[in-house]
Structure formats: C-alpha cells, structure tokens
Amino acid sequence: MLRLLPVALACCAAGLAPAAESAANAAANAAAALRADYEVLHQRPGSNPFQRPLYLESAETADGVAGSIHALVDHPFALAGSELDGPARWCDILLLHLNIKYCRAATDGSGSTLRVYIGKKHEQPLDDAYPVDFAWRVAAASPDYLKVMLSADEGPLSTRDYRITLEAVPLDGSRTLLHLAYSYGYGFAGKVAMQAYLGTIASDKLGFTVAGKQSDGRPIYIGGMRGLVERNTMRYYLAIESYLGALSTPPQARLEKSLHDWFAAIERYPRQLHELERGEYLAMKRKEYLRARAAVRTP
C-alpha cells in the first residue's frame, strides 16, 4: 500500500494542475475583461458626470434592479486586494452606510456569513431593524485579480436575491480598478412596497443618471427604482473607498477617519445622498460600531 502512495499523489497532482491552470486562466480573462469594460466607459462621450474616474450605470427589469460602478482608487492592488478579502473587514465597510445598523461576521465549516441589520437612516434599536444573512465568499483570488461575492435570499420590504459583487485588478503599481455590482429582486408584494416607499418617504429622491434637461439647461435625473439602486450602489462604493483611504492612519484612528471621509464623500452629491447632518451621522455610527464590537467580544 505504501508503495502505491506516490503513484496516487502523482495522479492527484496531475488532476490538480489542469484545474489550477484553468482557474488562473479564468482569473486572467476576468481581469482583462474588467480592464476592457473600464476603457469602454472611459472613452464614452459624456458618460462621467463625477469629474473623476468613476462610472455608474443602472438597469431595471420587471422583477429587479441593478447598479454597477467602475472606479479607480489611488491604492496599490497589493493593499486593496488583501484588505477586501476578509469577512470581518466587510463589516467595517458596510457599517459606514447609514442604513446598516449592525454587522457581525462568522465563519464555520460551511463558509462565512455576515449577519447584517438594515434599518432607518436614524438611530434605532436592533429589534426595529431587519436582519439579513449574507453568505460571503472569495470567488476568485490571484496576484492580479480578486472577486468577492455577498448574497442573501431575502431582504426588507419583501425584496429578495440580494447580490453584492466586488472585483479588483491592478491598473498600475499605485492604482487599483474596482468594479462594484449591487442588485436585488422583488415579487409583486415587494414591488408594491417599494413603490409605496418611493411615492411617500422617498418621493423627492433622485439618482445620478441624467434622463434629459430642463428648459434652463439643468439636468433631469432619474428617480424611481433605478434612482434608488443608484443611490445605494454609490453609498456602498464610497464606503469601500473610505475604508481603504483610512488604512494609511494608525489603527486606533481608522474608524474616525473612515466615518468623516464617508460623510464628506456623500456630501459631494447632496441632491442624491444628503440625509443627515455630520454630527448626527457621526454620533449614530460611533454607537453602532461600539455595539457591533461589543457583540464580537461576547462569547
């Protein structure tokens, strides 16, 4: 039996080598496709109202919406890739979003999960927020490509099939190209609930895509479901950007820097993203981070 072991190992290695090569080729192809998509957006006339290398698109179907951002960040891939491939770090990212009230990462034999509570833009008890369990996984990782996926079957207001996907590739030695895709679906009940929300509380909220121009030349921005998904896609992207930007500071100062940076980032787009004053946001988020970290320390 012992003499057969090297043969068995050799056979296993022979089987693993093509699989590893196939995975490497898939990562290389995905990285090339991501760079090509960015170049198309970068060269498209009038496609960037943000005055920086950031491109936002959205789509709506009969049973769902999706938002997509391609952007360059001034961080090397070695840093961005290593920081975005851990579930606990994603809790630090997601909690910057004003509607995320709590996040806790857990890993067991079946994989990693993020227990997230989604709530109102103001401070509230967790019992009043909606719990969502996101399955978290690294779908691909190589020296030149990272793909992280979060998925949840159910969400608030009868929504479903939540998907958050992040891809990252090095553009050069100091910058990383990110692609964030965010989507969710809904049935009849979910669509009615979302339309009721958009017709009342969020009736004055707009997205970023320009649908036309007013008589005085001012832009007309889309609203409705596409406007909603564009706002949240941008909030999640800015959370990633703010988290990465805070890594240059000492660990004890990173939370405060990321909070201030996220708020400053959304205030660049007050028509779409302004909800709270700075002091109210900072006070609320400090409490929510303390609550999440206290739960992690609890056996």
Side-chain angles (χ1 to χ4, degrees):
M1 291 294 294
L2 291 176
R3 286 181 297 174
L4 294 178
L5 184 57
V7 177
L9 291 175
C11 290
C12 288
L16 290 174
E21 183 178 354
S22 177
N25 290 337
N29 291 337
L34 183 53
R35 292 188 184 95
D37 289 344
Y38 176 78
E39 284 302 316
V40 170
L41 291 170
H42 184 61
Q43 296 173 14
R44 185 183 299 169
S47 64
N48 184 6
F50 303 105
Q51 305 304 311
R52 64 189 185 118
L54 188 154
Y55 304 89
L56 171 62
E57 297 179 306
S58 65
E60 180 180 2
T61 65
D63 56 2
V65 286
S68 174
I69 285 178
H70 291 77
L72 283 182
V73 294
D74 292 325
H75 305 287
F77 179 78
L79 172 68
S82 64
E83 285 293 330
L84 295 172
D85 71 349
R89 298 178 187 125
W90 273 84
C91 275
D92 289 337
I93 292 169
L94 295 179
L95 272 169
L96 293 172
H97 192 304
L98 78 170
N99 291 114
I100 304 299
K101 320 310 293 181
Y102 175 88
C103 181
R104 183 174 184 177
T107 301
D108 56 27
S110 60
S112 297
T113 302
L114 302 185
R115 178 75 164 177
V116 175
Y117 280 75
I118 300 175
K120 298 179 181 179
K121 61 186 178 183
H122 300 288
E123 190 175 336
Q124 68 179 141
L126 284 186
D127 289 344
D128 296 337
Y130 191 97
V132 179
D133 289 322
F134 282 94
W136 182 97
R137 68 185 182 95
V138 175
S142 76
D144 296 310
Y145 180 70
L146 174 69
K147 183 176 184 178
V148 176
M149 300 183 70
L150 291 80
S151 59
D153 293 335
E154 298 179 354
L157 296 177
S158 299
T159 52
R160 65 193 186 201
D161 299 329
Y162 276 77
R163 301 289 183 268
I164 298 175
T165 302
L166 178 79
E167 295 178 282
V169 298
L171 194 70
D172 52 38
S174 61
R175 296 182 299 170
T176 300
L177 173 59
L178 299 179
H179 173 226
L180 177 69
Y182 169 66
S183 65
Y184 57 88
Y186 40 74
F188 177 76
K191 189 169 187 176
V192 170
M194 296 299 292
Q195 288 176 338
Y197 166 75
L198 292 169
T200 54
I201 300 173
S203 60
D204 62 337
K205 300 299 181 182
L206 301 172
F208 292 90
T209 297
V210 176
K213 290 187 176 182
Q214 302 181 36
S215 58
D216 60 1
R218 289 183 299 169
I220 299 173
Y221 296 103
I222 63 167
M225 296 298 293
R226 281 184 63 194
L228 178 61
V229 78
E230 286 190 359
R231 293 193 298 276
N232 270 326
T233 304
M234 180 65 83
R235 289 184 180 113
Y236 284 123
Y237 168 74
L238 294 176
I240 295 170
E241 187 180 64
S242 299
Y243 173 83
L244 292 174
L247 295 175
S248 60
T249 61
Q252 64 272 18
R254 289 174 185 172
L255 173 59
E256 282 298 310
K257 179 169 174 54
S258 62
L259 291 174
H260 282 84
D261 287 355
W262 189 86
F263 188 84
I266 66 167
E267 288 300 296
R268 291 199 296 264
Y269 316 107
R271 187 69 184 87
Q272 290 85 4
L273 300 182
H274 177 78
E275 298 286 353
L276 303 176
E277 297 306 316
R278 179 186 297 272
E280 186 178 1
Y281 170 77
L282 293 175
M284 176 180 70
K285 284 299 166 183
R286 287 166 184 153
K287 292 178 182 178
E288 290 171 357
Y289 272 89
L290 286 174
R291 178 168 60 188
R293 290 176 179 177
V296 170
R297 291 192 296 267
T298 302

